[in-house]
Amino acid sequence: MSEVFSMVNVREDFQKHTRKMQARLNYYKMNKNSSNTMALAPNTSSKRETVCIFGTGDFGRALGHKMIQSGYPVVFGSRSTQTSSLIPKGAEVFSHAEAAQKAAIIIIAIQRQHYNFLIPLAEILRGKVLVDVSNNLKINQYPESNAEYLAQLVPGAKVVKAFNTVSAWALQSGTLDASRQVFVCGDDMEAKQMVMDIVRALGLTPVDQGSLLAAQEIENYPLQLFPMWKFPILLSLGLTAFFFFYCLARDVIYPYVYENKDFSFFIAISIPNRICPILALILLALVYLPGVLAAIIQLYRGTKYRRFPDWLDKWLLCRKQLGLVALAFASLHVLYTLVIPIRFFVRWRISSRIVSQALNNKTEPLNTTNAWLSDSYVALGILGFFLFVLLGITSLPSVSNNVNWREFRFVQSKLGYLTLILCTAHTLVYGGNRFLSPSSYRWYLPNAYMLSLIVPCIVLVVKFVLIFPCLDKPLTRIRQGWERNPQYSEQSNYIINKSAV
């Protein structure tokens, strides 16, 4: 009997579910039909206001062409009112005064040194929105930004800084992926919003940078050549030069002087294959060294509310770049290692060893200890490089934006230290007992890989000490807001606020 009731209930539930699904389907069809009707209906509000562009150079023409494609009527203001074949189709050319009277938004696509022609037009430009798109040749070339200078020349206008980070080539070719963000700043909120609407209409992304005081920073931005990469690249070049001459002295010059052997061909493969893993390991350790130093400073101060030294701040900001450069050197090391079996010197040495054993009628027995060391060395290298690549992948914006903070911290911190441990162990196993061999010290210089272990071992030892509960607990409390001396913090905040006022 209970089975019958259960079957009835199932049937009733199925019928209710079917009715709900039918109602949802009808609702979807109704909305779809209405949306199609709305799409077919003419949009009477799509009429855009006219935009004036002063200047018919490359950028002015490219921006005008893009605006016409986006539905904006465009007029050009120029010294010559004759229509040229270079002017975008659909645009009109007038004198500066006539063009200014036809639009409320005027884009100044002219260099700063030619701004003086705007002074006689000050009355016509009163109340207009002037968009400064200019850049300079040097960082901080003038005491004030070009946009601020324009606001001084035409005090009655509403000056907005925008479009200076977009190139004419990108506008013409449509490849805006690398420069889709447009920084916008201005003192008048309404004028800034009008410019940001134009930016969105062009398929770009406006980024509000605040008042016109930010214009100088925006103008300096396109002139910066990899600002966060400068320190990692210079450091890498310096370390590369040092270890190159260091290995050259030990592995090429020393055998030539004392053994009369010419190993100059080591410069092509052997020396680079020593330098790349050394730099990869050192740079990876330098990624985590500033975090260890920051923890020590916070423990010493007993607060997190005081700024780190400037050098440490800059170091912390470029850790991602240091890690990517380290990954590049590790990848080169992998490639160099793969070509070792096909090198002539390696093949000659192996064949000579085989011939020597054949002539002496002697076969060397398998040394299981060396076999274990060799396989362990290779295994640690493979695991370390795999995690190294994983760290590089998770640092990409497309990947890091899809993980939460805890997941990102787990990969970059926990797996990062594991990568450092594996790579350090890889180097230690490679060295084996060579640390104690006198023949390893040529001209009293240790092997280069010994030097590469200094920084990683320091980082790992200090990190191991910091995870002791007696240090980890107070450090965690400090990072959660606890202070050892709150009175000092309040005094420092008072001094900072007073100086700001």
Side-chain angles (χ1 to χ4, degrees), residues 106 121-130 154-158:
I106 303 173
L121 303 175
E123 193 59 35
I124 299 176
L125 299 177
R126 182 177 297 277
K128 305 278 188 180
V129 178
L130 303 185
V154 191
K158 305 171 184 177

Side-chain angles (χ1 to χ4, degrees), residues 196-396:
M196 293 173 70
D197 291 340
I198 294 177
V199 173
R200 293 189 187 94
L202 298 184
L204 305 174
T205 305
V207 180
D208 191 350
Q209 295 293 97
S211 69
L212 206 60
L213 294 174
Q216 191 160 31
E217 182 181 352
I218 295 176
E219 292 172 3
N220 289 336
Y221 180 78
L223 301 176
Q224 296 175 356
L225 182 63
F226 303 117
M228 300 306 298
W229 289 87
K230 185 176 181 180
F231 172 70
I233 291 176
L234 291 178
L235 178 63
S236 302
L237 291 176
L239 290 174
T240 301
F242 170 76
F243 281 106
F244 174 79
F245 290 110
Y246 189 90
C247 294
L248 185 69
R250 291 189 76 261
D251 301 329
V252 178
I253 298 177
Y254 182 89
Y256 183 79
V257 172
Y258 290 97
E259 302 172 6
N260 198 24
K261 294 180 179 179
D262 183 11
F263 289 145
S264 57
F265 57 88
F266 279 6
I267 296 175
I269 299 291
S270 297
I271 291 180
N273 199 28
R274 287 188 178 94
I275 295 174
C276 288
I278 289 172
L279 287 182
L281 183 58
I282 293 176
L283 292 176
L284 180 62
L286 291 177
V287 171
Y288 295 97
L289 181 57
V292 171
L293 296 177
I296 294 174
I297 291 175
Q298 288 179 337
L299 282 172
Y300 175 76
R301 292 176 174 176
T303 180
K304 71 170 185 177
Y305 296 109
R306 292 178 60 188
R307 287 192 54 140
F308 294 124
D310 290 338
W311 59 268
L312 184 56
D313 267 339
K314 295 177 181 178
W315 192 352
L316 289 167
L317 290 174
C318 67
R319 288 180 296 177
K320 174 182 175 180
Q321 288 74 16
L322 280 171
L324 292 176
V325 174
L327 177 59
F329 279 110
S331 303
L332 284 176
H333 173 50
V334 171
L335 295 177
Y336 276 120
T337 304
L338 290 176
V339 302
I340 287 178
I342 64 174
R343 293 179 61 197
F344 177 80
F345 172 71
V346 174
R347 288 186 284 117
W348 171 83
R349 190 169 61 179
I350 293 174
S351 61
S352 298
R353 190 172 182 178
I354 294 173
V355 171
S356 175
Q357 291 184 20
L359 293 175
N360 295 328
N361 195 21
K362 181 181 178 181
T363 303
E364 293 183 5
L366 175 64
N367 189 327
T368 55
T369 302
N370 290 338
W372 263 108
L373 289 174
S374 176
D375 287 359
S376 301
Y377 153 73
V378 174
L380 289 170
I382 293 173
L383 292 175
F385 183 70
F386 170 76
L387 292 180
F388 220 142
V389 173
L390 183 62
L391 292 175
I393 292 174
T394 54
S395 68
L396 297 174

